[in-house]
């Protein structure tokens, strides 16, 4: 910090004789500070500590301190302590970093200066695909739509353990070699640090071979990307990489990377983070200020720039009461999600307080915070309290460190204590939620916000069959609602009907950090197996824990073998079913669904259920807690009333109901107390220190500049800097632009830039084929985000994209000069050859969903100069600006339809050189129509970035 810092005198020594210093921001504002929400206090500290008189000014600090009067009125900086990347969105950030080094060198600068200014952790967790699962262990089709896999290469370097004999225990009622009737095959391979016990006589047995098979394929398929990441970790200062097979970004953030309080050279300050994953908010449950942003903003933070945000409102969410014994953490999450969505917290911070908060464990809090993106808040903050410290002690934090941490937090008034009657902070508004009113729910069949009480599931699904096609309806004729389609599978005949479950996935987006819900699924499976219940073999079941820690407590509690018997094999650690990386359904099942035009269902324990994401033939997707995923898999249908209809019958013919096998809260608490202990965190730490043999064996060339392989189809130097000059050009007006796409409401980033498989026949597939790749080698869009040629061709390639020019879901548009219907990329390429600029017309909430920078980069490279929408998702709007696309907004009450726009017109939009936030611009069409739009820039920083052609150009110029 500069010597002339106006806040230098607030530096104090901690009164615990440790010699540690800190900024005592509590003395900055007196009673005004005491009334601030805890989250705003953290924001204030980051600005005080990072004051430089330029990016962070004294005025910014005073504005944050005066939050009550200035909220929503001023822009303030946020300087996070660290950055979190995951590989899907992290690879374009790292590729851009490598490209920026090239650009700086080409413009005469020093490329070694291009490195993060703060610690940056990249977790390789989104590359996992389910090539092998319990009913697809042999000859599994490639998720990219290719030919059947050749026999897998011999696994290495791990070896299969010696098969352990049963030793004749009379109590043993099952095989002890890791096999089951649902998944016969060769002996599995033991995973390091993950002991598995036979529940029948407590002898160690092998872990499912699916994990190692999927990891082996993952390393082979993604070797080039992994080598690039390893180059970055070696050659770019402040970058560290967590290899595949370790855990998911947000889970590793919670379990391993979170400091809670930083201690750098004996200087203390609160932990804070931004990440390229929308689930970054999970750490809010630990009292860490953090949220998800795009790769573009993250790169700016890595280069020492703050995130700029409008000083937000803070909604106080008061929790009282105690939840029903049948309600899981997911039920609490979905109930809070609904109530906060109804309260209108979009673009605001939510902060929890009240007696109910202390009743929630840290894992409950992180599960709640993890759903923050679904109700639109910036973040959901749980202040640090005694529950947090107890959790950190179990995590392995040393006692001395915890004492210093608590002393510091209490001194700066960042510690919440129910026993002290100091009063609660003042909030912009307060939402009251009684936990006692929360009952079990699922969400679907198409949107996370459409919650259905489990008791109403059957009647609601039948109502969905009747309703018109829309957010819930399927419009199935009454005479066809009882149709049954017989299908033969593995020599047996089954019957499929509307509501039949064909995918059941216990995945880790919201559940991996919460032992109660995952153990609940395992205990339910255990009771189900003992009752003689099974899951039909055609149902694609899978279990994808967030990290080895989850597998540890599932296996050590003895429930993993029971999950396996029902088909829920551990398939690996990473995003899979949730992002569309799932094994295709058996052909017989797909044919039966299409033959009967059935509304088949997927049930998953994630937080995303967009149409077409799991499989194009599955129209209904329900989000449910892990125990309910298992229950619906056993039932085989969602068209069931659990209160009056049995899940199945036991061998004696007795009906088994859900309440017969549902684990009690007392059972769960007992297992948690005995098994979810500090050893799990010790296990993770040891695993991290031990390393990964495959990762360690990767060889990379150590050089300041990355050595680009121009034949590569994974890593390519992007074209963003090809024409970059040292000084920005004047802002250019848009003249006679055609509309590339005319879109409706709620267009998601999945619609714009899909992350799943690359379909045969798509523009991206044709490009990869031209490079000599076969369909089985296509991989996914997410894996190829380091290649701008693939990602540009994949832009708007989602099969569920509804372009009003086409009138039905398809990744197509019309090239108006010729009148031909084309793939979106082909049309854009034709427009670019004709030097015709492009715009997009859209409805409300354009850019919903996951933070995804290619949802802005892709349209930019297609030649899109502006988007005119009714409203935007905030993160995506920032991405558009950050890449140089103008976000324009219809005036309130106006839409493309109300203005009589067909999208077939050509549009001219003059931009003044003195562009300012919220300015109104004139738009003229070639048909003579005139209307006005709002330049949806929030502040002068965004104007500056747009003037430079985006944040990448701006940051390169700053380094010259």
């Amino acid at each position: 910090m500069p010597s002339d810092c106006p806040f230098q005198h607030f530096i104090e020594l901690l009164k615990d004789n440790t010699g540690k210093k800190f900024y005592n921001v509590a003395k900055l504002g007196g009673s005004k500070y005491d009334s601030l929400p805890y989250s705003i206090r953290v924001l204030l500290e980051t600005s005080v500590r990072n004051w430089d008189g330029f990016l962070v000014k004294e005025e910014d600090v005073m504005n944050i301190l005066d939050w009550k009067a200035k909220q929503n009125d001023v822009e303030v900086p946020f300087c996070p302590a660290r950055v979190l990347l995951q590989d899907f969105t992290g690879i374009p950030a790292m590729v851009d970093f490598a490209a920026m080094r090239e650009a700086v060198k080409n413009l005469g600068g020093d490329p070694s200066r291009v490195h993060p200014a703060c610690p940056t952790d990249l977790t390789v967790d989104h590359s996992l695909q389910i090539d092998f699962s319990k009913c697809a262990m042999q000859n599994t089709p490639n998720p990219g739509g290719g030919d059947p896999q050749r026999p897998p290469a011999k696994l290495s370097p791990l070896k299969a353990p010696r098969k352990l004999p049963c030793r004749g225990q009379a109590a043993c009622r099952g095989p002890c070699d890791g096999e089951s009737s649902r998944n016969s095959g060769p002996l599995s391979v033991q995973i390091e640090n993950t002991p598995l016990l036979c529940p029948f006589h407590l002898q160690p047995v092998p872990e499912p071979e699916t994990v190692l098979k999927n990891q082996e394929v993952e390393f082979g398929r993604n070797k080039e990307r992994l080598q690039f990441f390893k180059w970055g970790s070696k050659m770019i200062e402040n970058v560290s990489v967590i290899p595949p097979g370790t855990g998911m970004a947000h889970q590793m953030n919670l379990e391993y990377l979170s400091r809670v309080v930083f201690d750098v050279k004996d200087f203390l300050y609160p932990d804070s983070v931004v990440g390229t994953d929308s689930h970054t908010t999970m750490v809010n449950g630990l009292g860490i200020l953090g949220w998800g942003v795009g790769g573009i903003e993250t790169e700016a933070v890595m280069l020492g720039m703050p995130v700029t945000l409008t000083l937000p409102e803070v909604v106080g969410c008061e929790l009282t009461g105690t939840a029903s014994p049948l309600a899981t953490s997911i039920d609490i999450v979905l109930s809070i999600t609904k109530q906060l969505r109804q309260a209108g917290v979009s673009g605001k911070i939510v902060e929890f307080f009240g007696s109910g908060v202390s009743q929630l464990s840290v894992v409950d809090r992180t599960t709640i915070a993890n759903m923050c993106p679904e109700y639109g808040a910036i973040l959901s903050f749980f202040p640090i309290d005694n529950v947090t410290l107890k959790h950190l002690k179990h995590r392995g934090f040393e006692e001395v460190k915890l004492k210093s941490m608590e002393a510091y937090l209490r001194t700066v008034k960042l510690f919440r204590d129910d026993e002290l009657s100091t009063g609660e902070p003042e909030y912009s508004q307060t939402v009251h939620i009684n936990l006692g009113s929360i009952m079990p729910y699922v969400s679907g069949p198409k949107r996370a916000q459409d919650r259905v009480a489990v008791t109403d599931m059957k009647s609601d699904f039948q109502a969905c069959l009747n309703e018109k096609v829309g957010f819930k309806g399927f419009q199935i004729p009454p005479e066809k609602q009882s149709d049954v389609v017989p299908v033969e599978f593995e020599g047996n005949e089954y019957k499929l009907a509307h509501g039949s479950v064909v995918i059941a996935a216990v995945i880790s987006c919201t559940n991996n950090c919460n032992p109660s819900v995952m153990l609940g699924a395992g205990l339910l499976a255990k009771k189900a197996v003992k009752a003689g219940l099974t899951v039909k073999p055609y149902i694609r079941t899978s279990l994808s824990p967030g990290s080895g820690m989850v597998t540890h407590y599932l296996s050590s509690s003895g429930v993993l073998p029971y999950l396996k018997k029902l088909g829920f094999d551990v398939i690996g650690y990473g995003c899979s079913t949730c992002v569309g990386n799932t094994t295709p359904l058996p052909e017989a099942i797909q044919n039966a669904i299409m033959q009967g035009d059935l509304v088949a269902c997927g049930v998953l324990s994630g937080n995303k259920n967009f149409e077409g994401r799991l499989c194009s033939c599955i129209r209904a997707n329900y989000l449910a807690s892990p125990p309910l995923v298992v229950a619906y898999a056993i039932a085989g249908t969602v068209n069931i009333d659990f209160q009056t209809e049995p899940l199945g019958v036991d061998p004696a013919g007795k009906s088994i109901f859900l309440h017969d096998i549902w684990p009690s809260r007392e059972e769960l608490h007992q297992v948690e107390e005995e098994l979810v202990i500090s050893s799990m965190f010790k296990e993770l730490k040891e695993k991290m220190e031990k390393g990964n043999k495959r990762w360690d064996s990767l060889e990379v060339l150590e050089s300041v500049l990355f050595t680009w392989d121009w034949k590569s189809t994974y890593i390519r130097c992007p074209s963003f800097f090809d024409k970059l000059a040292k000084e920005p050009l004047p802002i250019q007006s848009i003249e006679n632009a055609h509309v590339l796409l005319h879109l409706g409401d709620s267009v998601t980033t999945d619609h714009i830039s899909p992350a799943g498989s690359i379909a045969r026949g798509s523009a991206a597939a044709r490009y990869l084929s031209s490079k000599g790749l076969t369909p089985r080698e296509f991989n996914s869009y997410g894996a190829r985000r380091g290649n701008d040629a693939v990602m540009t061709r994949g832009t708007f390639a989602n099969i569920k994209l509804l372009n009003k020019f086409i009138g039905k879901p398809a990744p197509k548009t019309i090239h108006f000069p010729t009148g031909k219907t084309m793939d979106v990329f082909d049309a854009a390429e034709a427009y670019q050859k004709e030097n015709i600029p492009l715009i997009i017309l859209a409805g409300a909430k354009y850019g919903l969903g996951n933070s995804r920078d290619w949802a802005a980069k892709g349209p930019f490279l297609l030649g899109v100069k502006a988007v005119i929408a009714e409203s935007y998702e905030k993160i995506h709007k920032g991405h558009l600006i950050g890449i140089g696309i103008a976000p324009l907004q219809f005036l309130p009450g106006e839409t493309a339809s109300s203005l009589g726009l067909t999208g077939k017109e050509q549009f001219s939009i003059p931009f003044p050189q003195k562009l300012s936030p919220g300015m109104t611009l004139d738009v003229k069409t070639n048909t003579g129509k005139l209307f006005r739009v709002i330049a949806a820039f929030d502040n002068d920083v965004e104007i500056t970035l747009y003037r430079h052609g985006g944040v990448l150009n701006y940051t390169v110029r700053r380094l010259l």
Side-chain angles (χ1 to χ4, degrees):
M1 175 170 286
S3 57
D4 59 344
C5 172
F7 308 108
Q8 195 81 20
H9 60 287
F10 288 106
I11 296 178
E12 294 184 2
L13 277 172
L14 192 64
K15 296 178 180 179
D16 64 350
N17 298 320
T18 60
K20 299 185 185 301
K21 297 180 180 181
F22 65 98
Y23 277 100
N24 193 348
V25 289
K27 293 184 176 180
L28 183 60
S31 61
K32 185 178 287 188
Y33 179 88
D34 293 342
S35 67
L36 291 177
Y38 289 91
S39 51
I40 299 299
R41 297 178 194 181
V42 177
L43 185 64
L44 178 68
E45 193 280 340
T46 66
S47 293
V48 168
R49 179 168 37 86
N50 288 284
W51 178 92
D52 63 358
F54 176 59
L55 293 173
V56 183
K57 304 176 182 178
E58 184 176 1
E59 179 186 4
D60 296 320
V61 174
M62 293 300 107
N63 282 338
I64 297 172
L65 184 62
D66 198 21
W67 167 82
K68 185 176 181 181
K70 295 294 182 65
Q71 55 185 293
N72 282 335
D73 289 337
V74 295
E75 297 293 322
V76 295
F78 171 49
C79 302
R82 57 189 175 92
V83 164
L84 177 70
L85 305 173
Q86 47 92 339
D87 54 316
F88 261 25
T89 48
I91 191 166
M94 293 300 294
V95 167
D96 289 346
F97 232 71
M100 280 190 279
R101 285 193 163 193
E102 296 277 355
V104 168
K105 178 180 180 295
N106 292 338
L107 292 174
D110 180 3
S112 66
R113 293 186 61 202
V114 183
H115 64 78
C118 61
T120 300
D121 300 291
L122 188 149
T123 301
V124 185
D125 68 332
H126 276 51
S127 302
L128 179 67
Q129 295 187 9
I130 307 177
D131 292 280
F132 301 96
S133 66
K134 52 92 183 177
C135 54
M137 288 297 295
Q138 302 295 330
N139 299 321
T140 307
N142 179 53
D147 299 325
Q149 295 273 8
R150 299 186 180 94
K154 184 178 179 181
L155 299 182
S156 63
L158 304 181
K159 297 181 179 180
R162 176 177 60 87
K163 182 175 179 180
L164 295 168
C166 175
R167 300 181 183 175
Q169 285 89 339
C172 184
R173 289 176 283 170
C176 306
D177 59 356
E179 300 177 13
S180 73
S181 60
R182 287 176 56 82
N183 185 20
S184 60
L187 186 66
S188 303
V189 178
Q190 179 69 39
I191 290 184
E192 297 172 302
N193 304 325
T194 311
L196 180 62
L197 301 180
C198 170
F200 308 114
H201 51 67
L202 302 181
Q203 289 295 321
V205 299
E207 178 78 345
E209 64 181 329
T210 53
V211 176
L212 286 177
K213 282 180 174 287
N214 282 313
Q215 286 183 5
E216 185 82 11
V217 173
E218 180 180 3
F219 265 85
R221 175 187 286 133
N222 298 295
K223 181 179 179 180
E224 191 177 334
R225 297 169 60 248
L226 297 178
Q227 286 177 319
F228 174 70
F229 286 141
K230 191 167 183 178
W231 169 82
S233 67
K234 281 180 168 291
M235 302 309 302
I236 302 179
E237 183 183 341
N238 262 346
V239 171
S240 64
V241 176
I242 296 174
T246 309
M248 301 174 71
H250 38 286
Q251 186 70 14
M252 297 304 299
N253 191 21
L254 182 71
E255 294 175 13
Y256 184 74
L257 301 174
S258 296
R259 283 78 156 176
V260 184
V261 171
F262 263 86
D263 185 347
V264 179
K265 297 180 179 179
D266 287 332
F267 201 98
L268 303 177
Y269 54 92
D271 190 359
S272 57
V273 61
V274 292
T276 57
D277 191 284
S278 58
H279 301 295
T280 303
T281 52
M282 179 183 277
V283 294
N284 299 161
L286 273 177
I288 297 172
L289 195 70
W291 65 91
V293 297
I296 299 172
E297 302 101 301
T298 306
E299 291 167 43
V301 172
M302 291 162 67
L303 291 168
M305 292 181 63
V307 174
T308 301
L309 70 157
T310 302
L311 189 60
E313 295 181 36
V314 180
V315 177
C317 184
E318 183 179 23
L319 302 180
T320 58
T322 305
S324 162
L326 291 178
T328 68
S329 295
I330 303 308
D331 299 313
I332 296 174
V333 167
L334 295 177
S335 178
I336 290 175
T337 296
K338 181 179 180 179
Q339 294 188 54
L340 290 177
R341 188 186 294 276
Q342 292 174 341
V345 298
S346 180
K348 304 174 185 178
I349 291 175
V350 175
E351 187 168 294
F352 293 88
F353 72 101
S355 59
V357 173
S358 297
Q359 298 176 38
L360 299 177
S361 67
V362 165
V363 288
D364 287 331
R365 299 174 188 188
T366 55
T367 308
I368 293 169
N370 194 34
M371 286 295 280
C372 170
E374 305 310 312
Y375 44 82
I378 299 172
L379 58 95
S380 295
F381 195 73
F382 286 85
I384 298 168
D385 60 7
N386 287 315
V387 175
T388 316
L389 294 182
K390 182 178 179 181
H391 172 83
L392 295 176
K393 184 176 182 179
H394 288 161
R395 225 182 87 174
F397 276 49
E398 296 177 356
E399 193 68 31
V400 173
K401 181 176 182 178
L402 287 173
K403 287 183 178 180
S404 291
M405 183 183 297
E406 183 177 358
Y408 164 68
L409 292 169
R410 287 186 180 276
T411 302
V412 295
K413 300 181 180 179
L414 287 175
F415 192 89
R416 182 180 175 275
D417 195 338
D418 286 334
E419 298 178 0
L420 298 178
S421 56
T422 55
E424 299 291 352
E426 297 181 13
Y427 295 107
S428 308
Q429 67 182 92
T430 302
V431 177
H432 303 278
I433 297 178
N434 181 359
L435 299 180
S437 66
I438 297 174
M439 297 299 291
Y441 282 84
V442 297
S443 288
K446 300 180 182 181
R447 302 188 303 177
Q449 62 262 41
D450 296 323
R451 298 170 68 241
V452 183
V454 174
T455 54
D456 299 333
M457 182 62 166
K458 183 170 185 174
S459 60
D460 187 84
F461 180 75
Q462 291 172 345
C464 290
L465 294 180
N466 286 314
E467 287 184 22
K468 292 182 179 180
V469 175
F471 289 131
K472 291 202 67 171
F474 299 103
Q475 201 169 355
I476 303 298
E479 65 272 14
K480 293 188 176 182
Q481 292 181 13
S482 299
D483 286 358
V484 174
V485 179
V487 58
E488 185 173 324
F489 184 75
E490 294 183 349
N492 295 310
E493 185 175 292
Y494 301 92
K495 295 179 180 179
L496 295 183
H498 295 293
S500 289
V501 173
V502 293
I503 287 182
V506 176
I507 54 180
S508 47
C509 281
T510 56
N511 310 298
N512 53 344
C513 66
N514 197 314
S516 66
V517 288
M518 297 295 279
L519 286 173
L523 291 174
L524 186 143
K526 181 177 181 179
K527 291 187 174 184
V529 169
K530 288 188 174 182
L533 299 180
T534 60
V535 174
K536 295 178 177 64
Y538 61 78
I539 298 176
R540 281 284 187 255
T541 49
S542 61
L543 171 61
S544 178
S547 73
M549 187 189 84
V550 182
T551 304
H552 177 89
Y553 66 69
L554 288 176
S555 59
S556 62
S557 65
V559 299
L560 200 55
Y562 296 101
L563 286 163
K564 178 181 174 64
K565 278 182 174 291
L566 295 181
F568 290 93
D569 287 315
V570 176
I571 55 87
Y573 306 105
C575 288
S576 50
T577 305
C578 191
V579 294
N581 293 345
T582 188
T583 305
L585 295 177
E587 187 175 350
I589 302 302
Q590 293 190 55
N591 291 339
I593 293 172
M594 291 185 288
Q595 175 189 335
D597 191 27
L598 299 178
V599 179
C601 299
V603 186
L604 61 154
S605 59
N607 65 355
K608 293 286 195 307
N609 58 342
F610 298 129
E611 273 191 283
R613 199 171 206 189
L614 300 188
C615 178
S616 59
C617 65
I618 298 177
R619 286 190 271 174
N621 298 310
Y622 286 93
L623 307 180
S625 65
L628 284 176
V629 171
V630 177
Y632 279 113
I634 295 170
T637 180
V638 299
N639 195 16
I640 183 174
D641 183 345
F642 284 139
Q643 292 181 303
T644 60
E645 299 177 66
L647 292 174
V649 294
D650 65 12
K654 177 185 175 182
S655 294
I656 305 297
F657 290 83
L658 180 61
H659 61 76
D660 294 325
I661 62 172
W662 189 269
S664 68
R665 189 172 292 274
E666 289 72 25
E667 288 177 278
L668 286 172
H669 284 171
Q670 181 180 357
V671 174
E672 285 180 33
E673 287 295 325
E674 294 176 357
L675 299 165
V676 185
I677 55 176
S678 58
S679 62
M680 295 186 303
F681 293 101
K682 181 181 178 181
E683 190 95 13
L684 175 63
K685 184 178 180 180
E686 290 174 352
K687 183 177 181 180
M688 292 295 298
E689 292 174 350
K690 186 175 183 179
N692 182 301
K693 292 181 180 179
R694 294 189 183 95
W695 173 261
D696 293 340
S697 67
L698 289 174
E699 296 181 359
V700 296
L701 183 65
E702 298 185 7
S703 59
V704 174
L705 297 177
F706 182 68
T707 305
W708 304 97
D709 180 359
W710 299 107
K711 296 180 181 179
S712 172
T713 57
Y714 276 104
I715 309 296
R716 220 175 82 127
C717 187
S719 58
F720 304 126
F721 308 109
D722 286 355
K723 299 179 181 179
L724 181 65
K726 288 188 176 182
E727 297 296 332
L729 298 173
I731 296 178
Q732 302 295 306
S733 296
I734 299 173
E735 299 290 343
N736 297 316
H738 268 296
V739 176
L740 179 63
L741 294 158
H742 190 185
L743 305 172
D745 296 339
S746 301
V747 173
T748 69
T749 51
D750 266 0
H751 288 123
I752 304 170
S753 183
S757 302
I758 298 173
R760 292 188 182 187
S762 65
R766 295 196 301 273
Y767 168 80
L768 293 172
S769 295
S770 73
K771 299 295 182 181
L773 274 65
T774 61
R776 65 183 295 272
E777 297 170 313
F778 286 170
N779 212 326
S780 66
Y781 284 113
R784 293 192 181 274
R785 283 184 176 178
N787 186 320
D788 60 323
V790 172
M791 296 308 296
T792 305
R793 287 165 172 79
T795 304
F796 296 112
N798 190 304
I799 60 172
K800 294 296 181 180
L801 178 73
L802 183 56
N803 181 5
K804 294 183 181 181
F805 293 151
I806 305 301
K808 62 180 181 180
K812 303 285 185 180
T813 194
I814 295 174
H815 177 246
F816 286 107
T818 61
K820 293 181 179 179
T821 299
M822 304 179 177
D823 284 344
V824 175
F825 172 79
D826 294 336
E829 188 176 43
Y831 281 123
Q832 287 186 327
K833 289 179 180 178
E834 297 157 348
N835 292 318
I836 297 175
L838 298 171
I839 66 170
I840 291 172
L841 294 181
K845 300 179 182 179
Y846 180 77
L848 282 174
N850 296 72
S851 168
R852 193 163 293 170
D853 62 334
W854 266 110
K857 290 177 178 177
F860 173 80
L861 293 178
L862 288 178
V864 173
K865 304 299 181 184
V867 177
I868 305 178
E870 294 172 36
S871 63
Y872 294 88
E873 196 279 334
K874 184 177 178 64
I875 292 178
H876 183 64
K877 182 168 72 71
H879 288 189
L880 294 176
I881 296 167
I883 199 62
I885 295 177
L888 307 179
Q889 194 164 325
F890 290 109
L891 296 180
E894 292 186 351
T895 66
S897 178
S898 70
L899 292 170
L901 300 174
T902 65
K904 299 178 182 180
E905 306 89 348
Q906 287 183 269
F907 294 76
S908 295
I909 311 168
F911 279 81
Q913 291 306 306
K914 293 184 178 180
L915 185 64
S916 61
M919 176 181 283
T920 302
L921 305 177
D922 295 322
V923 182
K924 182 179 180 181
T925 71
N926 63 334
T927 60
K929 188 178 295 294
L930 293 170
F931 64 97
R932 310 192 81 190
V933 294
I934 299 169
F937 300 94
D938 291 332
N939 51 63
D940 291 334
V941 172
E942 290 188 345
I943 295 289
T944 299
L945 296 180
Y946 179 70
R947 190 180 299 276
H948 276 264
V951 68
L952 300 180
N953 293 351
Y954 176 71
T955 51
V956 166
R957 290 183 177 119
R958 286 184 64 238
L959 290 171
L960 297 177

